[in-house]
Every structure is written in C-alpha cells, then in structure tokens.
Amino acid sequence: SFGTFEYEFKGEKFGIIGTASPDFHSFKVKIDEGDIVDVNTHKATINKYSLLYVSPDLEYKEHTIKIEGVGEMFELYKFVYWPSLRAKRLNSSDFDHREGRWHTQSDMIGGLRQYTSADTGYGMITSTIPFSKVWIYGTKCGWCESFDLSIGDINETLQLLQGNSKDRFDTLLLYETDEFVNDNYDIQFSSPADATLNFIYYIENPA
C-alpha cells in the first residue's frame, strides 16, 4: 500500500501492534516533525498481535503519528500509548465494587472494556486508589450517552456522544485531572444508559 493515515495521542510513549508474517513487509513511521523510521514486519513465521514498533521516550504533550505505506503489504491491529512512563493502569474490570450489569469485552491481547446499556439499566463502579493524577479512557459514539464521574470533591458529567449514528471512537482520553495532593481517593463512574469505560492510568507518587 502507498496510503497514509495519522493518529493523535497525548502522552510520553506509544507502540504499534500488528502482524509479522512472510507475506508482509515494511511501512514508515513519523512522529511529529521527527525522522522517518522504517518498520520491517517480514518474519519467517506468522505472528499475530506482535509489537512491531515502540517509540523512544517522548515529551508529555499532544503528538501526531503518521503511518505511510511504501507499496508493500502490512497489517496493523492497534496503537497503544502511555500517558506517563510513571503511570499505572487499572482496567475497568479490576475496580473494587460494582452495581448493576456491566458487559465485558476483550481484544484478546490484554485490552478490556466494560459498558452499560439502556436495556440493563443503571450501572456503577468504584475503587479507592492512592494517586496524584488520573487519566480516564473510554468510548465515544453516535449512540453513547454519558458517565457521571466522582473523584474526591470533583463531580463531572462526561459527555460521550460524538459523530453520526453508526460512528464509534474507542479508547479515547475522556478526562485528565490536574495534579492532586497524593492521597487515597474514591473514584466512581455511574451511568443509566450506553457508556463504555476502558481503563484509567494513575500516578501514585507526587510529580
């Protein structure tokens, strides 16, 4: 393929997961205005869901990744990224307590998402975590509704509606806190209808 596409994220590192195979070859990666890197996906055996590329450590800010084909076949599955190299991840399925019915879906390589829907009614999950900063990731779509978020004294409604009726945008940064005094905080999500949470990243120690 000679096609190109771009992806934006906010963080300090990212990786590309795809397939290594005897049938696949190279593509190019460019981060912001940096140098172009050739990524070779040609291997003797087929390895699906392989980590094809990991970026160097980056400055914490918005970054643009550009993928460009060079006329050869390649197969990508997803991008992964880290908002902070010091952050820990907590999947939605690992929260301490939940109420209502939550559906769970896996991408089979460590990624999980949980969602409530209008037909199952009110859902709530909560956990107590020691942190000084939190990033929240979930889905926006053309039929999504909202999450009510509570963190300590913070109470926010996260609007998840975006795009047309069939559009879906997974693993988006929904909310980023300012830095807190490092302490134990209750973090809670609740929704009466269609809302999806993937995971949170958090920093335990003060920045």
Side-chain angles (χ1 to χ4, degrees):
S1 170
F2 287 101
T4 63
F5 62 93
E6 294 185 355
Y7 179 78
E8 295 180 351
F9 78 100
K10 187 176 184 180
E12 295 182 347
K13 201 177 191 69
F14 82 96
I16 301 173
I17 294 176
T19 301
S21 166
D23 298 323
F24 298 146
H25 296 277
S26 298
F27 62 90
K28 296 181 181 293
V29 177
K30 184 178 181 181
I31 308 171
D32 300 325
E33 298 304 317
D35 295 334
I36 295 174
V37 178
D38 289 311
V39 180
N40 183 13
T41 68
H42 185 79
K43 301 294 181 183
T45 58
I46 298 174
N47 296 284
K48 290 183 174 293
Y49 312 127
S50 296
L51 184 60
L52 302 177
Y53 174 79
V54 178
S55 76
D57 296 349
L58 304 169
E59 178 185 355
Y60 180 66
K61 64 175 186 177
E62 297 277 357
H63 296 282
T64 299
I65 308 163
K66 184 177 181 180
I67 307 295
E68 182 177 356
V70 294
E72 300 174 330
M73 289 180 60
F74 61 94
E75 183 176 78
L76 305 184
Y77 182 64
K78 71 175 185 179
F79 295 108
V80 294
Y81 61 92
W82 294 263
S84 168
L85 299 179
R86 297 185 295 117
K88 294 184 176 182
R89 173 169 160 167
L90 182 70
N91 286 332
S92 57
S93 57
D94 295 326
F95 273 57
D96 296 332
H97 175 73
R98 67 195 57 243
E99 295 179 8
R101 183 178 177 186
W102 289 77
H103 305 277
T104 302
Q105 292 181 328
S106 169
D107 65 5
M108 308 306 293
I109 55 171
L112 286 173
R113 70 181 183 197
Q114 290 194 310
Y115 65 93
T116 61
S117 59
D119 61 339
T120 58
Y122 173 84
M124 182 271 288
I125 57 174
T126 185
S127 210
T128 301
I129 307 168
F131 65 79
S132 58
K133 187 175 178 66
V134 169
W135 296 262
I136 297 165
Y137 296 86
T139 295
K140 292 186 177 183
C141 64
W143 63 94
C144 293
E145 305 236 358
S146 64
F147 270 127
D148 289 328
L149 167 67
S150 173
I151 307 176
D153 295 331
I154 296 175
N155 293 283
E156 297 277 355
T157 298
L158 308 183
Q159 298 295 339
L160 307 177
L161 182 65
Q162 180 174 312
N164 298 319
S165 61
K166 296 183 179 181
D167 289 339
R168 179 179 186 131
F169 308 94
D170 289 316
T171 321
L172 297 181
L173 177 59
L174 303 178
Y175 188 81
E176 175 187 352
T177 69
D178 294 328
E179 293 182 6
F180 286 69
V181 174
N182 194 55
D183 202 349
N184 290 334
Y185 294 95
D186 294 327
I187 179 168
Q188 177 179 295
F189 299 89
S190 60
S191 180
D194 295 294
T196 298
L197 180 67
N198 291 100
F199 47 80
I200 68 171
Y201 275 99
Y202 63 96
I203 295 179
E204 277 192 316
N205 299 315

